[in-house]
Amino acid sequence: MRIAVVIHLLGVIVWVGGMFFAHVCLRPVAAAQLAPPQRLPLLAAILGRFFTAVAVSVVAILGTGVLRLSELHGAPAPWHWHAMSGIGSAMIIIFLIIVFRYYPRLKVAVASQNWPQGGAAMDVIRKLVLVNLVLGFVTVIIARVGA
Ligand code: HEM
């Protein structure tokens, strides 16, 4: 079903492109130009909006991916579909860990103006986003190479 694959790809573009922008463009400049009391509330608010967009993208990616798999009606899936499902699932788990474990810590730290705690939470989020960014690139390459 072509429209499902288009929706799948739009979700991937929002998620992976957003992680690239946040990690490579936004955060280094914010870290260089803003002190923690200015930087952390700004990044927490930006991440809140981004995570909402990613949550919608994840639902779209997962829904359309599973829909496409279901069209096989039990026939064996190509190797790159398996690889994509596996790495994609790992990416989703990492996203959930960020949203339910470390992002709440960042918000609490910002609300209580505890900048060391906020910086520590932001540091873990930054590393997990980098892992997902690399996995995202790998998944896109595998999806295309196998197609
Ligand atoms: C998490 C579960 C996922 C499932 C079950 C899944 C499943 C699928 C399936 C079945 C297709 C084949 C569509 C077709 O050829 O008709 C597809 C295409 C694609 N997927 Fe995924 N996917 C998932 C996650 C991801 C993620 C996380 C990425 C990238 C970060 C990704 C990138 C792509 C790309 C680039 C294509 C297009 C390949 C082409 O050009 O033919 N997918 N996906």
Side-chain angles (χ1 to χ4, degrees):
M1 190 190 283
R2 267 205 100 63
I3 186 72
V5 182
V6 172
I7 293 169
H8 192 80
L9 284 175
L10 290 177
V12 168
I13 287 166
V14 169
W15 191 6
V16 179
M19 289 193 294
F20 182 87
F21 172 75
H23 191 82
V24 177
C25 306
L26 175 66
R27 202 206 145 269
V29 176
Q33 300 196 357
L34 299 173
Q38 285 81 45
R39 181 173 79 243
L40 292 173
L42 178 74
L43 290 178
I46 289 171
L47 287 179
R49 291 181 74 92
F50 179 53
F51 291 158
T52 303
V54 175
V56 174
S57 300
V58 163
V59 170
I61 291 168
L62 200 55
T64 52
V66 170
L67 179 71
R68 189 70 188 82
L69 285 174
S70 74
E71 289 173 355
L72 292 174
H73 301 296
W79 69 270
H80 65 287
W81 289 20
H82 283 290
M84 179 166 29
S85 309
I87 305 174
S89 301
M91 289 175 65
I92 292 170
I93 290 168
I94 291 171
F95 171 67
L96 293 176
I97 291 172
I98 294 173
V99 166
F100 290 110
R101 191 174 169 92
Y102 293 103
Y103 183 57
R105 289 187 193 177
L106 175 63
K107 282 198 297 186
V108 168
V110 167
S112 58
Q113 306 200 344
N114 185 336
W115 308 124
Q117 190 188 314
M122 190 61 226
D123 204 48
V124 180
I125 292 173
R126 178 179 63 82
K127 287 174 181 155
L128 290 175
V129 167
L130 177 60
V131 171
N132 256 358
L133 178 59
V134 173
L135 290 179
F137 280 147
V138 169
T139 311
V140 170
I141 291 166
I142 287 174
R144 261 327 298 174
V145 167

